Amino acid sequence: MAKLDIPLILIGALASAALLIPALDVGLGKVRNAKFSAYFTMLILAFALLILTIGGLGLVTLDSSVPNLLQNDLLGVFFGFVVILVALLVTVASFDYMKDNPNVSIYYSFLLFTSLGMVVLSFAVDLLMIFVAWELMSLPTFILAGFMKKDKLSNEAAVKYFILGALSSGILLYGMSIIFGLSGSTNLNVVLNALTDLSPNMIPVAGFGAVMLIAGFGLKLSIVPFHMWIPDAYEGAPTTVSALLSAATKKAGFVAAIRVFAVIFPLLRFDLSMSLAIIAIATMTLGNLAALTQKSMTRMLAYSSIAQGGYLLIGLVVLPTSPLGLSGLLYHSLNHALLQATAFIAVAAFRHKTSKTSISSYNGLARVMPITAFSLMISLLGLVGIPPLNGFWSKLVLFTAAADGGFAWLALGGLVNSAISLGYYGIIVKRMYMDEPTEKVSIKESFPFTAVLLIASMIIILTGIFPGPVYEFASRASIQFLSGI
Amino acid sequence: MVELVNASIPWLVFGVPFIGALLIPFLSRAGDQIRNYIAVAITFVSAVFALMMIPLALAGETLHNQVAWIPSLGITAGVLADPLSVLMANVVAWISLAIMIYSLGYMKGDPNLTRYWFFMIFFIGSMQLIVLSDNFLQLFFGWEGVGLASYALIGFWNKDKQSDYVGTVGHKAWGIATAFSPSHAGMKAFVMTRVGDVSFLIGIFVLYFFAGTFDFTLLAQEHGWAVDLARAGLLIPVAVLIFGGAIGKSAQFPLQEWLPDAMAGPTSVSALIHAATMVNAGVFLVARIGPLFATAAQAVNLIAPFFETIAWIGVFTAFLAASQAMVAKEVKKVLAYSTISQIGFMMLALGVAGLSANFLSGFIAGFFHFTSHAIFKAALFMGAGALIHVTHTKYMSEMGGLRKEMRFTFIAMTIAAGALAGIPLLSGFWSKDAILASVLDINSFGLAMPLFALATITAVMTAFYSARMIGMIFFGKKSQHLEEMEKEGKPVHEASRLMLLPYLALAGVTLLLGFTGPFFEGFLDFSFASHLEQGFGMVVIEAPFSINPVALAASLGALAVGGFFGYSFYIGRRFDPGKVLASSGFVRSIHAFLENRWYINSIYYIVFVNGSLRVATFLHKWVEIAILNRINSSVTNSTQYFSSISGKFDRYVVDGVVTGIASISLFLSKLLTKIQTGVTEQYVFGFSTGIIFLVILMSILL
């Protein structure tokens, strides 16, 4: 079989495209480049997705030229696939959403930069590499969140997000420095070996380091109590960017957390699991309860995204105790990324046409924008976990994993939380399909939006009815990763 | 090849409706008439496929076909066509077909028929998926589909016009309104059955965790899981949790409150929910898991409490709902309470099955009653729909004296109500008798007696409200409302032929099943004996048809007592019920108690609806906003601040580019000032508090 160095190819493709696009403003002129950069970004991302698919299907041998920094394994390929898929959906949705913005080429360039950061993060196995990728992923999103320069909410969102982001980066680096101090290396494989021989009286220090890492990663993973920026940021940022933040960067945060915690777990097994379990239940409960009372659609989705982060965290809790944990986490990452991205893109489509975000403005949407309403319904029901949509399966695996890993109460908590979440998701569906529209206007749904929404909804439904292939992919990736540590 | 074709038939029974439902929106482009007829045709095709499975039941054989679903988790998809599911599927399919034909007339001219047909077909498909699934997980898919479809159909008249409300508008019980809009009723049904669904899901989840499979046949073969569960002390809890799903879907106590309000939907939908789908899903589930738990638990011999729970919940619900049916004012509500009550009877029978030496007798009684009830209840609902259609009222007191104008409806409904009351030689007589007889089969006399007594009292009430319903609608003088209609030149007339035929046909089947009752029971006896023997390795005693004299006496006595009062008050009109009510304060308070549904509905609203809203608001207000953001008013301040900014912002932008730039910089500077002293600082505060919290947590754990 041919050998393929996926991270290297993707870094080359994404970085050069990201650098090239703004430069073309000079050659093509701003107006022509606006169109060109959109299509070019789409092509590059589609190419990246193709490479990752080839890698995921096992058609090539995965090989890395810098194995100490970037490990080309199925785990990386899986998360790379998730983030690039979301980036691609967001790009197509942005065609229309960003049409009137004067700096479109910069927007796409940053979109590619943050995708690059996420891809590198998916493969990184060195603490410093992780940190660099983390920053590469984060910095463009600060600017993207504030991209609506003249919108006060967008600015507010960006500044808040930036301050909290800077704080969390600092804390993350502090945590990494503690791990480095204990093990004398930044390479995760070496760290693992070093930590297994750690003298017992240093364990509290390692625990403290773990706390710093949880807090540092926690910002992106949107876990309680590091979640507070999220509703403001998601509401203020352009909604396509909210889709990216919620669906993609959060998942990239998870892959980093998986790689790092897999190393620390052997040392602090129970304590870390228990702490994460408490955080997980707090995160899902708070997210779901807060979502119940929201009046704005984006804020509601923001809290829902927080709650979903809690479900994902279950996978991390039982990482050392149940083989299902990691595959559940991977599986739900992909499903949740698709569902959340679809929901946000549908909201973006609505916001673009009406500039409204309040939940009451969704009344009777099914008659005004049928495709948007349909996709929103599918994605919301998927987020609840109504069969036969894909969200049902991944929640099933996650909750089984929790019970299997000795956290039955967490599985029960997750189930009850899912039931609560129906309250706020269901009410949106009811409003769209049952209630009368407030004003009878017909809105023309624009093509890029309908295309991306329909494709995403189809994937959600099909991977729900035929969950086999996606789960097998997640399962292979997790087995390969677990056998490596 | 033949085998392949045979194996694909069960798949098609639900596959055809699912694919057909997707076609409906496209067909509406081709014309309304075409869409309507194709919708009925889809149901017909599905019913024909169901019929093609009948030879299996006649031979007492089982067809099991499986495909891989998620291979590495060992999850498969499949169909299981055993006598139970084949017979069930046929009852569902053919009654659905009758209701679909009826809908052609009943829903004529409704502007949203595409939505109607889509969900009706989807509803039927989901129900068949439940019936034919060979594992819990796939069954759960259908289960949720049924929930969604019922939600959409109960709230079908989503304009929420006052005339579509269910209950008496303005009437309150303990400060809680008793009238509900269709969309509220739909939501209520969805949320309430969802409680049962969660319980069900937890149950199958724990079961899967112990057994490693969702598959019914595997669960029936290997009983190790039951031993493990029993050792963990979870066998009864798991069984009851799964039964919780049936409680929700079948509207049994304590989750019965959604069903009366579900009457807000179109009557054809009510007929489908009550006779063919939804509520019967719960009965089917119990029939599926009953033998499973009964045989699996033989190894541990602990399962009696589970069946006792089923029997008690069944008989209590039957009693509760029948008592409420006696005072209901709306014809559909009488039928709704009656369904809850009759489903309770079926649950009683299925519960009793596990408590007696011979599992078969209760099992057959339950299924027999399901079949006869499905038929006569569908006829009653369709008749009631026709009545509401032509009289423009849902209140029985506004009908009266209709037996001449609507002779065929009168005949059909009287036959069906007679079957409900248990008049000899009608289908309901045999099946109710079988249930009472099976209760007497219980091993423990001390348990059999109270169950039997409650069931008999319920039978008295059933006879009473059946007679009351027929009497109020068809006998006595015409009401003022009807006379006014006549004066306006709109006299009451018989329903259109398209509506009339389906329920006349079902009334005919009720008669037929009445005449052939013992033979039908004999057939069920043979078919289910092989089902239980082959599928579960049970030892069953095939008993030829017999009549238990005690049960017979009780059921005839109940009919005589209930029927006498019902007849003399409402058909013979020898006494005036209004006077009896006015004469005594005690009777009035009983009446109010029953009419307000034993106040259970009010309690639920006060505790759960208002309560949980309060908790959510409290948490949002005091935990999310106040504590984490430090307890101050920064949120309101910042909102005011930003709204004032936004006002200025608009002005500046309108003023022109130069001032615009100035205002932006002004705005940004103000924003940054705010950030230095305001909300963001508190987020950082929250962030650091979180870290401290985590450090404390870790040090506790270490």
Side-chain angles (χ1 to χ4, degrees), chain A residues 150 152 160 171 225 227 232 271 275 286 289 303 388 393 399-400 404 415 430 434 436 465 471-472, chain B residues 69 71-72 137 141 151 158-159 194 202 205 209 619-620 624 646 649 667 675 680 683 690-691 698 701:
Chain A
K150 293 180 182 165
K152 56 194 163 33
K160 270 184 195 164
I171 289 169
H227 69 286
D232 292 348
D271 321 305
S275 310
L286 192 135
L289 287 176
Y303 279 110
W393 291 105
F399 297 158
T400 315
D404 189 37
L415 269 171
K430 171 183 176 285
M434 296 280 176
E436 290 291 301
I465 297 174
Y471 180 75
E472 299 303 323
Chain B
W69 212 359
S72 60
L137 199 60
F141 276 46
Y151 164 58
N158 54 19
K159 305 254 166 59
R194 186 80 196 165
I202 295 175
F205 184 68
F209 191 64
L619 280 172
H620 181 65
E624 179 66 3
S646 104
F649 190 73
F667 161 70
I675 283 154
T680 309
Y683 287 2
I691 295 175
M698 280 294 258
L701 290 170

Side-chain angles (χ1 to χ4, degrees), chain B residues 550-630:
Chain B
V550 181
L552 181 69
S555 98
L556 287 180
L559 176 67
V561 176
F564 169 75
F565 283 108
Y567 183 87
S568 41
F569 276 124
Y570 296 101
I571 297 179
R573 309 257 172 164
R574 274 180 224 140
F575 310 100
D576 182 1
K579 272 185 197 150
V580 177
L581 194 61
S583 66
S584 146
F586 177 67
V587 176
R588 264 203 308 279
S589 62
I590 294 266
H591 188 269
F593 177 70
L594 294 179
E595 199 183 2
N596 292 326
R597 309 187 190 175
W598 295 32
Y599 295 102
I600 294 172
N601 194 49
S602 303
I603 294 170
Y604 284 0
Y605 270 82
I606 291 167
V607 175
F608 295 113
V609 180
N610 301 351
S612 66
L613 272 181
R614 242 171 252 152
V615 170
T617 320
F618 173 84
L619 280 172
H620 181 65
K621 206 165 160 190
W622 295 105
V623 178
E624 179 66 3
I625 293 178
I627 297 178
L628 291 182
N629 288 359
R630 269 199 299 185

